[in-house]
């Protein structure tokens, strides 16, 4: 396999939140503008739908918007998934500061273990929407579109990722997916229309509903998976060295914030609210192998941030109870496990640009932890 072909395959399999983003997604969310630079750093086949930061990640895959290919018959966009309501309930007695400080205490008590490889499994939802020409998505002139699909479907799939330390400063990465593919239709009419069209394969993260999981490993391209604060990538080898006290971590984050306020990489400019800046990057740090001290410090910083607040207790799309946290001035919501202080979900209910529909990005973090080799999974 030639190097450019390998790069294309790696880019196609990188985790959900660095999936291919449309230009309007960057205008909507300048906090992830740096992801584009990561994706552009590799030779990317634009016909392949990758999977990470958010997304990110992230899933995330599987992100705020999906670019429409010139010959596409249907468009895959992230879905609100089952249970589209914002939450299953509301606890009016849950105080933001009290909850975040309690989460800090819980995080600080977790064992400071280290291993060879950091593992995580992320789930992403996508909607398959009928293709409709319009502002920003015109039908290509002179190119037949074939029979336009007239049904809506919803797919869900998971992906596994590994980041492994090697001798010296080297890293080895791996990704496996799509896994546990599920398909639903909002109405029986949609399902009938899909069958009438010949039951064509539907898009999922890094493949289709008939794809078999593929395991790909690679030793370069850490920029595809590095956690991000504003426009700053945090190298995997330095994650464990992040400050472990809230005063030191806040000083570090404020230094990055001031740099991004003056204008960061890839045209990114940080918001004037330091709390917003920290909050929209917090999920990336919670999902990385930060130390218990760093995670606890991050919770304490959020606890004293006026723009951050708890909105109540909910049940997420995987049926897990959690506490929803948002920040004023952002469209991001995090869901945290009340007992373990682990991050369960990242959601971005972004608003529409002129002439565009609003949408959402949703990543559920199914599992994470240290393992002894690439391909291994944590004991349950």
């Amino acid at each position: 396999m030639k190097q450019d072909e390998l790069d294309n395959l790696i880019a196609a399999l990188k985790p959900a939140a660095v999936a291919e983003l449309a230009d309007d997604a960057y205008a909507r969310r300048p906090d992830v503008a740096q992801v584009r630079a990561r994706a552009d750093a590799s030779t990317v086949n634009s016909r392949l739908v990758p999977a990470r930061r958010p997304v990110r990640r992230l899933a995330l895959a599987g992100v705020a918007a999906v670019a429409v290919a010139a010959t596409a018959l249907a468009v895959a966009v992230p879905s609100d998934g089952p249970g589209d309501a914002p939450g299953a309930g509301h606890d009016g007695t849950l105080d933001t500061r009290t909850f975040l400080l309690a989460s800090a205490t819980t995080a600080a008590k977790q064992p400071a273990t280290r291993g060879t490889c950091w593992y995580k499994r992320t789930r992403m939802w996508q909607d398959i929407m009928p293709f409709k020409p319009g502002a920003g998505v015109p039908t290509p002139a002179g190119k037949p579109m074939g029979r336009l699909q007239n049904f809506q479907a919803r797919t869900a799939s998971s992906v596994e990722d590994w980041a492994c330390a090697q001798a010296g400063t080297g890293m080895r990465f791996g990704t496996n997916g799509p896994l546990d593919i599920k398909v639903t239709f909002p109405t029986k009419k949609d399902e009938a229309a899909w069958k009438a069209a010949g039951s064509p394969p539907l898009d999922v993260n890094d493949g289709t509903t008939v794809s078999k999981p593929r395991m790909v490993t690679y030793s370069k391209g850490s920029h595809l998976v590095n956690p991000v604060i504003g426009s700053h990538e945090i190298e995997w080898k330095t994650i464990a060295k992040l400050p472990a006290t809230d005063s030191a971590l806040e000083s570090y984050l404020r230094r990055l914030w001031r740099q991004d306020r003056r204008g960061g990489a890839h045209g990114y400019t940080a918001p004037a609210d330091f709390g917003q800046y920290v909050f929209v990057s917090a999920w990336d740090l919670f999902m990385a192998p930060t130390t218990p001290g760093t995670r606890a410090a991050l919770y304490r910083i959020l606890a004293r941030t006026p723009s951050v607040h708890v909105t109540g207790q909910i049940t997420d799309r995987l049926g897990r109870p959690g506490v929803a946290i948002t920040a004023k001035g952002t469209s991001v919501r995090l869901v945290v496990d009340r007992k373990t202080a682990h991050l369960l979900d990242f959601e971005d209910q972004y608003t529409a640009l002129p002439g565009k529909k609003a949408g959402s990005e949703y990543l559920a973090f199914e599992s994470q932890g240290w393992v002894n080799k690439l391909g291994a999974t944590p004991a349950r």
Side-chain angles (χ1 to χ4, degrees):
M1 181 178 289
K2 296 180 180 179
Q3 184 61 47
D4 60 343
E5 295 173 335
L6 178 60
D7 288 343
N8 283 346
L9 184 57
I10 291 170
L13 289 172
K14 62 181 181 285
V18 286
E20 179 185 11
L21 298 177
D23 287 341
D24 58 346
Y26 297 101
R28 253 195 323 267
R29 290 189 54 204
D31 58 289
V32 296
Q34 68 276 14
V35 177
R36 186 176 198 178
R38 290 197 224 169
D40 289 346
S42 296
T43 304
V44 179
N45 183 343
S46 62
R47 293 288 297 166
L48 299 175
V49 181
R52 164 336 248 145
R53 175 193 153 122
V55 124
R56 181 258 74 187
R57 39 299 332 228
L58 136 79
L60 171 238
V63 285
V66 178
V68 179
T71 59
L73 297 183
V75 181
V77 297
S79 160
D80 267 349
D84 287 345
H90 184 278
D91 183 356
T93 65
L94 200 58
D95 175 73
T96 296
R97 179 176 172 81
T98 300
F99 171 73
L100 292 173
L101 290 178
S103 297
T105 299
T106 299
K109 293 179 180 179
Q110 294 167 354
T113 57
R114 301 290 296 179
T116 303
C117 300
W118 181 250
Y119 166 89
K120 63 182 177 182
R121 177 174 166 128
T122 306
R123 191 157 185 81
M124 181 189 74
W125 287 262
Q126 288 177 285
D127 276 345
I128 310 301
M129 305 295 292
F131 177 80
K132 294 182 179 180
V137 286
T139 301
K143 294 186 177 181
M145 294 297 294
R147 181 180 178 182
L148 297 181
Q149 295 184 16
N150 59 350
F151 60 85
Q152 180 180 348
R154 177 170 292 150
T155 65
S157 63
S158 299
V159 64
E160 295 178 307
D161 295 288
W162 292 263
C164 304
Q166 293 185 303
T169 60
M171 294 289 296
R172 186 86 178 154
F173 303 96
T175 187
N176 182 35
L179 305 168
D180 191 20
I181 299 170
K182 303 293 183 184
V183 179
T184 59
F185 297 89
T187 68
K188 291 183 178 180
K189 182 179 179 181
D190 285 298
E191 184 173 9
W194 172 69
K195 291 180 178 179
S199 303
L202 303 176
D203 290 338
V204 296
N205 187 11
D206 174 46
T208 73
T209 48
V210 297
S211 298
K212 294 183 178 180
R214 289 183 296 169
M215 179 71 173
V216 172
T217 62
Y218 53 102
S219 57
K220 71 172 187 176
S222 61
H223 62 280
L224 300 176
V225 295
N226 284 339
V228 169
I229 302 171
S231 68
H232 305 272
E233 289 188 40
I234 310 301
E235 291 291 337
W236 275 89
K237 289 286 188 177
T238 66
I239 291 173
K241 300 178 182 179
L242 290 173
T245 65
D246 50 327
S247 58
L249 183 61
E250 181 168 348
S251 295
Y252 170 75
L253 293 174
R254 284 190 178 276
R255 176 169 58 83
L256 301 184
W257 173 63
R258 285 192 290 268
Q259 292 175 5
D260 282 340
R261 283 293 293 158
R262 294 192 293 268
H266 321 303
Y268 170 73
T269 300
D273 187 332
F274 172 69
Q276 292 179 15
Y277 179 80
V278 174
F279 182 78
V280 296
S281 295
W283 74 280
D284 234 6
L285 296 180
F286 282 134
M287 288 306 298
T290 48
T291 65
T294 297
R295 292 193 294 274
L298 185 56
Y299 273 123
R300 285 192 288 268
I301 293 171
L302 295 176
R304 57 176 179 257
T305 300
S307 55
V308 173
H309 58 278
V310 164
T311 60
Q313 298 187 88
I314 69 167
T315 299
D316 79 351
R317 297 180 186 181
L318 296 180
R320 302 173 297 183
V323 175
I325 308 170
T326 61
K328 183 179 180 180
T330 78
S331 55
V332 171
R333 182 175 75 172
L334 306 180
V335 180
V336 174
D337 188 308
R338 190 170 186 174
K339 294 181 179 179
T340 66
H342 291 163
L343 183 63
L344 299 178
D345 306 276
F346 166 89
E347 182 177 13
D348 187 355
Q349 290 284 351
Y350 56 81
T351 56
L353 290 174
K356 303 289 183 180
K357 292 183 178 180
S360 70
E361 171 186 356
Y362 194 109
L363 302 175
F365 306 112
E366 298 179 286
S367 178
Q368 62 176 316
W370 290 105
V371 294
N372 58 6
K373 63 180 180 178
L374 196 154
T377 59
R380 293 185 178 272

